[in-house]
Amino acid sequence: MRIYFFTLIIYVCCSVSCYAQNGSTNFKGYFYNEEYNVYLHLDLYEKDIEVPNHSMFGNLPGYLGKKLNNFYWLITSGKIKKDNHAIINMINDYGSEDLKASLKRKNDSIYIFKQEEGSPLKVANNGKWLKLPKEFILKKKQNK
């Protein structure tokens, strides 16, 4: 009886430790593109990001913003398909446009943002609207 009890304890300990090691943070962090001066603040795991000066929306999975601007594209939902691929749904902070995009991890710091369907992704730029390409690269800022 003791042997069965100790074997059961070993199996439980092994399964708990294996589950604890699956702490991927591929889709959590700060991602940026220097060419277009846009950034993506994202957390598809906890979904607890508050958009600056937009607390009325509550906590969200994230947002896309532009440096020196307070116009945002809010991430309303996101789903991790694989360890290196996620689908996100976005809406502008006026609620007038929405889109569906994918985010694919190329390596530890390079991600590909690709608009799949919906309204064109536009951000304010020097008093005009800048239409972003359907696909662009984002770099993940590494925590130090």
Side-chain angles (χ1 to χ4, degrees):
M1 183 68 180
R2 282 183 163 177
I3 293 173
Y4 295 117
F5 180 71
F6 287 118
T7 306
L8 178 65
I9 289 176
I10 290 173
Y11 283 129
V12 169
C13 290
C14 288
S15 65
V16 168
S17 67
C18 290
Y19 177 74
Q21 292 176 358
N22 191 12
S24 175
T25 59
N26 290 336
F27 297 103
K28 179 179 181 175
Y30 180 84
F31 307 82
Y32 63 94
N33 178 289
E34 290 178 0
E35 182 179 358
Y36 302 108
N37 285 324
V38 295
Y39 61 92
L40 186 67
H41 192 186
L42 183 68
D43 185 351
L44 293 182
Y45 304 99
E46 299 294 323
K47 301 177 183 176
D48 64 351
I49 294 177
E50 186 175 310
V51 182
N53 302 317
H54 289 67
S55 60
M56 65 189 150
F57 295 119
N59 291 340
L60 297 169
Y63 60 91
L64 182 133
K66 183 162 181 2
K67 292 180 182 176
L68 304 175
N69 198 318
N70 60 357
F71 177 81
Y72 299 101
W73 279 86
L74 312 173
I75 298 174
T76 56
S77 65
K79 184 175 182 180
I80 300 170
K81 292 290 195 178
K82 297 179 186 172
D83 194 38
N84 64 345
H85 181 226
I87 301 294
I88 55 178
N89 292 302
M90 303 172 76
I91 188 168
N92 67 3
D93 56 0
Y94 290 118
S96 60
E97 300 181 69
D98 63 344
L99 63 92
K100 181 179 181 180
S102 66
L103 189 62
K104 291 185 181 178
R105 179 177 174 253
K106 190 172 181 181
N107 61 37
D108 286 345
S109 62
I110 304 294
Y111 288 72
I112 308 296
F113 180 96
K114 183 177 181 184
Q115 182 180 343
E116 301 294 340
E117 57 188 58
S119 304
L121 183 59
K122 297 179 283 188
V123 294
N125 186 44
N126 296 327
K128 298 181 180 179
W129 290 110
L130 171 66
K131 185 177 173 183
L132 297 177
K134 290 215 179 253
E135 186 173 312
F136 57 90
I137 293 175
L138 291 166
K139 294 181 182 176
K140 185 174 185 180
K141 182 178 179 183
Q142 300 299 324
N143 296 333
K144 294 181 181 179

